[in-house]
């Protein structure tokens, strides 16, 4: 299965190719996507992305995870979260969301087993 392309990104709105829904924040992996609901794990801008936010995507067999911190990079990514990803044997890249989507789409287009979590506002 290939990782789906992110078809469009604007403030508060993301579309994933092949998916009829649009997302504010989303998780993507080879063969699928869904909304990233911060309430599931108690995530907020501070302290930021939690390991629990990433477990679902990591379990999909990705080799690389791209994290989009928001348009203004307000979403934090603690070093403990990055350590968790690396200890799972997965490479991780953390970028401003527009750059993160571009990187993710480039890798997905090359056939990489890439996953991502993206915050589309601040």
């Amino acid at each position: 299965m290939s990782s789906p392309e992110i078809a469009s990104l604007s403030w508060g709105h993301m579309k994933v190719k092949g998916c009829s829904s649009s997302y504010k924040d989303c998780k993507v992996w080879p063969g699928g996507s869904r909304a990233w609901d911060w309430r599931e794990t108690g995530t907020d801008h501070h302290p930021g992305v939690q390991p629990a936010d990433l477990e679902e995507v990591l379990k999909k067999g990705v080799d690389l995870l791209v994290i989009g911190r928001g348009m203004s990079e307000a979403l934090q990514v603690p070093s403990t979260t990055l350590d968790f990803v690396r200890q799972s044997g997965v490479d991780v890249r953390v970028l401003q969301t527009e750059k993160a989507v571009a990187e993710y789409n480039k890798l997905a287009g090359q056939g990489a087993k890439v996953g991502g979590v993206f915050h589309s506002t601040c």
Side-chain angles (χ1 to χ4, degrees):
M1 274 188 241
S2 60
S3 299
E5 176 187 349
I6 296 174
S8 67
L9 168 67
S10 59
W11 185 275
H13 183 84
M14 298 183 76
K15 284 286 292 174
V16 175
K17 190 173 184 175
C19 181
S20 58
S21 306
S22 63
Y23 305 115
K24 175 179 175 264
D25 299 321
C26 75
K27 298 181 178 188
V28 290
W29 58 83
S33 66
R34 78 170 183 94
W36 178 16
D37 183 351
W38 292 12
R39 294 171 295 191
E40 293 173 355
T41 57
T43 294
D44 204 344
H45 291 102
H46 300 279
V49 182
Q50 305 300 303
D53 293 310
L54 309 177
E55 285 177 334
E56 177 181 16
V57 177
L58 295 175
K59 288 179 182 175
K60 302 293 184 178
V62 300
D63 296 324
L64 180 84
L65 179 70
V66 180
I67 300 174
R69 293 188 50 209
M71 300 298 206
S72 303
E73 299 184 87
L75 179 61
Q76 302 301 301
V77 184
S79 60
T80 53
T81 298
L82 297 176
D83 291 343
F84 170 78
V85 175
R86 291 183 186 117
Q87 288 168 4
S88 300
V90 175
D91 190 17
V92 62
R93 297 182 189 167
V94 179
L95 301 163
Q96 184 267 357
T97 295
E98 290 161 312
K99 292 176 182 170
V101 166
E103 179 73 2
Y104 168 87
N105 278 342
K106 180 183 89 175
L107 293 163
Q110 294 170 349
K113 291 175 64 176
V114 61
V117 294
F118 303 99
H119 177 45
S120 72
T121 58
C122 52

